[in-house]
Every structure is written in structure tokens, then in C-alpha cells.
Amino acid sequence: MKQHKVKVYSTSSCPWCVKVKDFLKEKGVKFEDINVGADRKAAEEMVKKSGQMGVPVTEINGKIIVGYDKEAIEKALAG
């Protein structure tokens, strides 16, 4: 199976973040979980990359996906 570089920008109080992470775990995808609530620098990086203040933001091999978009995540993992 192909290895992907995956980051999930999330906060501890975000239910959609949990859904994204659970979905990735179900698929057997390893990812780096970045808590932007606790890391200001990471939050700034996320906003710079996505133009969004909201979470979750998922980065898969450099592709930015905002929110819990299963189709976009599957497409990015397939590509």
C-alpha cells in the first residue's frame, strides 16, 4: 500500500475532526494530528495553506481538504 504524507489540523473540541481521524484510521492511513488549539504556529500554518480558520483541515500529499469531505479524502488518497 502506498504511503501518504497526511496531516490533520484539528482542535480537541471539534467533532468533525474526530470523524476525519476515525475515517483515516478505518482506511489504515497513518497521519500526523496537529492540534491548532494548542499550537499557534501550526494554526498560522494551517490558515496560510488553506485560507481557512475552521477545522478540520486535512493535507494529503500537499493537497488541502477543508472540512470532513470523505470523497475528496478518498480521491486524494487514490491519486
Side-chain angles (χ1 to χ4, degrees):
M1 195 174 152
K2 192 170 145 188
Q3 276 297 325
H4 298 283
K5 184 157 175 44
V6 182
K7 291 182 183 180
V8 179
Y9 295 92
S10 63
T11 63
S12 47
S13 61
C14 161
W16 293 107
C17 300
V18 173
K19 286 187 187 297
V20 167
K21 291 184 270 190
D22 285 348
F23 181 70
L24 290 170
K25 285 175 195 163
E26 277 173 30
K27 295 258 175 219
V29 176
K30 287 188 168 74
F31 60 90
E32 183 183 351
D33 186 12
I34 302 166
N35 186 338
V36 295
D39 186 340
R40 241 184 76 112
K41 248 186 153 62
E44 289 168 9
E45 179 184 299
M46 177 192 80
V47 172
K48 197 179 288 178
K49 286 180 178 182
S50 69
Q52 299 289 318
M53 293 288 289
V55 286
V57 171
T58 308
E59 181 178 0
I60 301 173
N61 303 323
K63 181 175 175 20
I64 299 296
I65 300 161
V66 177
Y68 177 52
D69 186 339
K70 275 181 20 176
E71 273 182 31
I73 292 168
E74 285 182 326
K75 201 169 156 186
L77 290 171

